[in-house]
Amino acid sequence: MLALGAVIVQAASYPLSYTSCGVAHVVNQPPQKVVTMNQGATEFLLALGLADRMVGTAYLDDTIWPHYAQDYNRIRVLSSSYPNESTLMGASPDFIVASYNSAFREQYTSNGKTRGIFTNATVGPCVGTGSDWGQTWRTCRPQLHNASIGTYLFMDACEDSSLRPSTVSEVTVYNSMRSLGAIFQVNVEPIIQDMRRDFDNAEATISSAMHGAPLNVVWLDCVGRCCSDDTGEQVFVGAGQGAPAMLMQEAGLKNIFSNKAGNWVCVNKRDIVAAAPDVIIAVDASWDTALK
């Protein structure tokens, strides 16, 4: 048994049991019809060389890394955001991989808008252990498993925040890679070694330009739509525990908001001004461009 943070994978043969973010499942063979629900999940599977087993992708935030573009272009794009229930289930997946728990949510109403994907028409109702998390929303991974559709949720987005790593690090990324490698029977160690070199090269390149003094940095992730703030004063930035924090740390940068809990956080614009950052990293997404 491999214990990998919030993910446990049993043995390296089939049937193979694993637990992802507290929800257990058994796969009897390597998944053959996979849907990835977020760009991070898509590029993870492309890195594993699994394009031929991917029957759909969704929610592209940015341009796919050119290294994977040819493989990506052969896969059906189900939706520019999350696919609706009929489109997703129409792809007949036997496995769904997602970067965020929102990809597995049952439909619910929030601020007058219908959100989520799954209903009683397919796998719902989504109730009970593994679905109820004490939130206004529920997720449907146990019900998908009962329908012979495996699920994998990245550790930093577990529905139960106590199962998330206290801080995302390189090890978190490698553990996720090894977990998916075990499920799909792919040797990921050469990929991990390449990733280690990339991290080391990034840190060396940036550090050499800073002459020993780390740059104070703000990771500006979203403006105008990610914070519940009617005044327009707040913006969405990388906090101290998530992937943005990890990328800044590995590059030898000083995250101004490293003292904030969580993966991302809403802060006042005046707090950014007061911190006088050397650099603002403006994240570019198709739905919230850096230029805008």
Side-chain angles (χ1 to χ4, degrees):
M1 178 178 290
L2 303 176
L4 304 175
V7 178
I8 300 173
V9 178
Q10 175 77 45
S13 60
Y14 298 97
L16 182 145
S17 63
Y18 71 96
T19 302
S20 172
C21 288
V23 181
H25 186 52
V26 176
V27 289
N28 294 309
Q29 64 178 5
Q32 301 296 315
K33 301 178 69 177
V34 187
V35 169
T36 52
M37 298 288 276
N38 307 95
Q39 183 163 351
T42 298
E43 292 187 334
F44 253 66
L45 264 66
L46 291 174
L48 295 181
L50 296 172
D52 289 342
R53 297 195 217 166
M54 297 168 67
V55 296
T57 66
Y59 225 133
L60 198 67
D61 290 311
D62 199 354
T63 304
I64 285 285
W65 190 29
H67 185 71
Y68 299 140
Q70 185 173 354
D71 284 338
Y72 173 79
N73 289 335
R74 295 192 285 112
I75 305 166
R76 179 187 172 196
V77 176
L78 301 180
S79 175
S80 59
S81 55
Y82 284 140
N84 61 37
E85 184 176 36
S86 60
T87 300
L88 174 58
M89 300 303 275
S92 300
D94 63 4
F95 206 86
I96 300 174
V97 184
S99 304
Y100 307 106
N101 64 61
S102 53
F104 296 113
R105 289 184 189 175
E106 184 180 37
Q107 282 193 7
Y108 67 107
T109 301
S110 175
N111 296 324
K113 294 183 178 180
T114 300
R115 305 179 186 276
I117 297 173
F118 301 98
T119 70
N120 294 356
T122 56
V123 298
C126 302
V127 296
T129 302
S131 289
D132 291 304
W133 304 98
Q135 304 289 336
T136 57
W137 45 262
R138 298 190 295 256
T139 51
C140 299
R141 292 196 293 134
Q143 293 74 27
L144 287 163
H145 294 169
N146 290 338
S148 299
I149 303 172
T151 67
Y152 182 90
L153 176 60
F154 286 170
M155 296 181 229
D156 61 325
C158 288
E159 297 100 331
D160 181 350
S161 59
S162 70
L163 296 177
R164 299 175 187 177
S166 57
T167 302
V168 173
S169 66
E170 275 189 65
V171 173
T172 309
V173 179
Y174 303 149
N175 284 348
S176 293
M177 188 69 74
R178 290 186 175 110
S179 298
L180 286 167
I183 292 169
F184 287 93
Q185 295 293 276
V186 174
N187 178 16
V188 300
E189 295 309 316
I191 304 169
I192 289 174
Q193 291 307 312
D194 284 345
M195 295 173 74
R196 289 186 192 276
R197 285 191 289 270
D198 286 342
F199 277 124
D200 291 343
N201 289 339
E203 182 176 11
T205 299
I206 295 175
S207 295
S208 65
M210 294 189 297
H211 306 291
L215 295 173
N216 293 316
V217 175
V218 171
W219 182 287
L220 183 61
D221 208 290
C222 178
V223 175
R225 58 179 291 169
C226 298
C227 297
S228 300
D229 172 47
D230 294 334
T231 68
E233 172 60 21
Q234 292 196 321
V235 293
F236 201 55
V237 302
Q241 296 171 297
M246 181 269 291
L247 291 171
M248 285 183 276
Q249 178 178 334
E250 294 301 331
L253 304 170
K254 184 178 179 181
N255 176 12
I256 283 176
F257 295 108
S258 62
N259 63 327
K260 300 289 187 180
N263 297 348
W264 290 269
V265 67
C266 291
V267 301
N268 294 321
K269 295 175 184 176
R270 60 177 177 271
D271 294 332
I272 295 177
V273 175
D278 298 304
V279 174
I280 295 176
I281 299 173
V283 175
D284 189 54
S286 58
W287 45 269
D288 188 42
T289 66
L291 183 61
K292 181 180 177 180

